[in-house]
Amino acid sequence: ETGVTQTPRHLVMGMTNKKSLKCEQHLGHNAMYWYKQSAKKPLELMFVYSLEERVENNSVPSRFSPECPNSSHLFLHLHTLQPEDSALYLCASSQDPGSGANVLTFGAGSRLTVL
Amino acid sequence: GQNIDQPTEMTATEGAIVQINCTYQTSGFNGLFWYQQHAGEAPTFLSYNVLDGLEEKGRFSSFLSRSKGYSYLLLKELQMKDSASYLCAVRDSNYQLIWGAGTKLIIKP
């Protein structure tokens, strides 16, 4: 596969469940990102990993826990979520977050519904 | 605060031309991006402007005026497949990407 792959594409979970979202990039990029996309709202940056180190954590609630075991894989662990966490979660990668035209390559997203 | 404004929704006719505007107020400027996102799909990169002027790429062009905090995406010879959301994003002085809420473009036959 090429590009950025996210699984699962759809997830329904109760507020007491624990689940994980997975992202994999086959582009040789050095940085990976988690974004939250809610209807009619701007993309919200959640976490950034550069060379497997977390470089950004935008005041995200602790019920979201990222993990980056290597430069190709990124996880978002979910536990005790709230209904307002229902959204599309997008993973992205890029070559170098600190340089000029740092173009993001996105995955198709994981649509999360919290009941 | 930092802000990106773009229209929520626009409608245009197949074969016509449409211009999607984006205005921004950010702490510094290090480039402006346009992405296209079809429903249920990944956003994909369209264009990047860092200097004033027009960048043309086939049927799509992007314009930037830094002094006015303004950009537009121009789509010519519209096709039904151009129905999508178009996201404007600005990189600020800290190299953070500030995103607009996106413009949903509806193309009618």
Side-chain angles (χ1 to χ4, degrees):
Chain A
E1 286 198 55
T2 59
V4 179
T5 305
Q6 290 188 242
T7 54
R9 291 294 311 275
H10 299 273
L11 178 63
V12 179
M13 58 188 290
M15 292 167 61
T16 58
N17 291 157
K18 289 184 181 181
K19 298 286 184 183
S20 296
L21 306 181
K22 179 182 176 182
C23 176
E24 187 172 358
Q25 59 100 357
H26 306 272
L27 300 167
H29 286 167
N30 294 319
M32 296 187 77
Y33 309 73
W34 279 118
Y35 277 93
K36 177 182 179 182
Q37 187 175 37
S38 303
K40 299 184 179 179
K41 289 187 177 180
L43 289 178
E44 298 175 46
L45 179 64
M46 300 176 73
F47 302 103
V48 182
Y49 278 82
S50 180
L51 297 173
E52 301 157 44
E53 282 194 37
R54 191 191 308 181
V55 295
E56 186 140 354
N57 176 350
N58 278 356
S59 303
V60 178
S62 60
R63 57 186 184 268
F64 295 92
S65 174
E67 178 189 0
C68 187
N70 56 61
S71 60
S72 299
H73 293 85
L74 185 65
F75 294 89
L76 188 62
H77 303 299
L78 317 169
H79 61 99
T80 59
L81 294 191
Q82 305 298 311
E84 60 264 28
D85 297 324
S86 297
L88 182 68
Y89 289 84
L90 290 166
C91 175
S93 69
S94 71
Q95 184 60 42
D96 182 356
S99 70
N102 182 46
V103 175
L104 299 178
T105 301
F106 286 89
S110 294
R111 172 71 62 185
L112 173 67
T113 302
V114 181
L115 302 176
Chain B
Q2 306 202 87
N3 193 51
I4 308 284
D5 285 315
Q6 48 180 133
T8 303
E9 187 173 299
M10 299 181 71
T11 303
T13 304
E14 189 177 16
I17 299 173
V18 71
Q19 177 175 310
I20 303 174
N21 295 326
C22 171
T23 57
Y24 62 89
Q25 301 90 38
T26 57
S27 303
F29 178 86
N30 277 299
L32 184 144
F33 298 80
W34 285 96
Y35 284 79
Q36 179 191 58
Q37 185 178 23
H38 286 101
E41 296 184 14
T44 56
F45 170 73
L46 286 178
S47 67
Y48 170 69
N49 294 69
V50 66
L51 299 176
D52 290 350
L54 189 68
E55 295 277 344
E56 297 187 74
K57 201 184 284 188
R59 294 188 299 114
F60 291 12
S61 303
S62 57
F63 172 83
L64 174 67
S65 169
R66 288 172 295 170
S67 62
K68 295 182 179 178
Y70 168 69
S71 173
Y72 66 73
L73 182 68
L74 190 71
L75 291 73
K76 301 178 183 177
E77 301 169 17
L78 286 170
Q79 301 175 10
M80 298 302 292
K81 67 178 182 179
D82 297 329
S83 292
S85 288
Y86 292 86
L87 311 179
C88 175
V90 172
R91 192 180 304 287
D92 69 11
S93 57
N94 294 319
Y95 280 79
Q96 303 298 309
L97 263 183
I98 312 302
W99 292 85
T103 298
K104 183 178 180 180
L105 177 63
I106 299 167
I107 309 297
K108 295 187 174 180

